[in-house]
Amino acid sequence: MVRRLDEVDHFRPKTCAVHRGRTYPAAAEADASGLIALTAGDDRPEGLIADPQGPSGDRFLATPGQLDAWYRTYWTFCWERCPFETVGTVDGRIKGVYTGGSWGFVNYKNVTHEPEPGAYTRYTVTVDLDGVTDLEHQRTDLIALAGAPLDLQMGERVYQFICARQNEQRDEHHREGDDDFVPAWREVHDLNQHYAKAVQAGDTDEAGQLLGALMAKADQWKSHPHHTVVSAGVPSP
């Protein structure tokens, strides 16, 4: 494991797709038509169409049904008993993005605030291997998530993601207890509650619209490493 620290790509998250037994780098999300972009280089995958928006001609589009697998791999670890997801290595040390929701942690610990496009700021640490615990390799099956039926867990997953990001924003702007935070939290809370009631009532149309509205709230943090997993299978509002 120590030797792998010198391999910058080893601890970076990756998304892959398997088509007819061959593995290709792939997009982390399907496009608006539900197609997944694969990067194939000179080896044109048989039966797939070229991506008309791919300027280099090395990208091809597939439906989930054309793939043997579509998955995301990444590493997670804990530092100071809090969760992180790795983004790579820096000078033989692991760099990770904080994935918890404690504004107190990012205020009082030695984390780096890194602005991202839009409204999102990520919090990172770069630490020695012996300074982390629970270093684990993870794999998320994106096809399974994309084909999952609407259920209570899907809404809760999106809701918790939004709440964690709202907490981070609250910390970033030092707005503990201010009047702006509560209405924003209550809005997503109510959306989640209405979604749960629609699922329990079997009203799939209403549930889909409410879940899409929740996801629209989450989309302001598209650059967050967990957004891909949260958004898989969620319909547009």
Side-chain angles (χ1 to χ4, degrees):
M1 190 68 71
V2 173
R3 291 197 304 270
R4 306 308 289 265
L5 288 173
D6 293 329
E7 302 173 23
V8 176
D9 287 336
H10 182 69
F11 289 104
R12 283 181 178 167
K14 303 178 181 69
T15 303
C16 299
V18 181
H19 175 69
R20 299 188 178 181
R22 299 198 63 172
T23 302
Y24 303 92
E29 298 182 10
D31 65 16
S33 300
L35 299 176
I36 301 154
L38 282 60
T39 302
D42 296 331
D43 176 26
R44 181 187 180 106
E46 184 179 350
L48 300 186
I49 62 173
D51 184 353
Q53 299 183 10
S56 60
D58 62 351
R59 290 197 314 190
F60 298 85
L61 300 177
T63 66
Q66 291 177 297
L67 299 177
D68 304 322
W70 178 37
Y71 58 90
R72 180 174 184 265
T73 61
Y74 57 100
W75 291 80
T76 58
F77 66 86
C78 290
W79 177 73
E80 298 288 334
R81 299 191 298 275
C82 287
F84 288 80
E85 180 176 320
T86 64
V87 292
T89 58
V90 178
D91 297 328
R93 308 171 78 202
I94 290 181
K95 180 176 181 178
V97 175
Y98 177 58
T99 56
S102 170
W103 55 89
F105 176 80
V106 295
N107 250 356
Y108 299 111
K109 294 295 183 179
N110 187 27
V111 300
T112 301
H113 295 204
E114 296 186 6
E116 289 285 317
Y120 174 61
T121 296
R122 68 179 189 175
Y123 305 95
T124 65
V125 294
T126 303
V127 292
D128 293 323
L129 185 64
D130 59 7
V132 308
T133 61
D134 305 310
L135 179 63
E136 296 180 352
H137 192 229
Q138 312 287 352
R139 172 169 166 158
T140 299
D141 185 343
L142 297 178
I143 288 182
L145 283 177
L150 297 180
D151 57 20
L152 297 178
Q153 289 72 28
M154 186 177 290
E156 187 66 19
R157 189 173 73 237
V158 180
Y159 169 65
Q160 292 296 339
F161 173 83
I162 297 171
C163 286
R165 307 291 77 77
Q166 285 178 331
N167 284 340
E168 291 169 354
Q169 279 192 328
R170 182 184 181 187
D171 166 63
E172 181 184 353
H173 298 292
H174 305 284
R175 301 186 309 194
E176 292 188 33
D178 75 357
D179 293 335
D180 292 334
F181 177 77
V182 174
W185 172 83
R186 184 173 291 124
E187 182 179 3
V188 295
H189 176 268
D190 290 346
L191 279 172
N192 188 43
Q193 291 295 305
H194 293 317
Y195 167 76
K197 290 179 181 178
V199 170
Q200 291 170 336
D203 190 342
T204 55
D205 288 341
E206 179 70 7
Q209 291 177 9
L210 290 165
L211 187 58
L214 264 177
M215 199 63 231
K217 300 287 184 185
D219 280 348
Q220 63 183 296
W221 296 288
K222 276 191 172 182
S223 59
H224 191 277
H226 285 176
H227 183 276
T228 299
V229 175
V230 168
S231 63
V234 177
S236 299

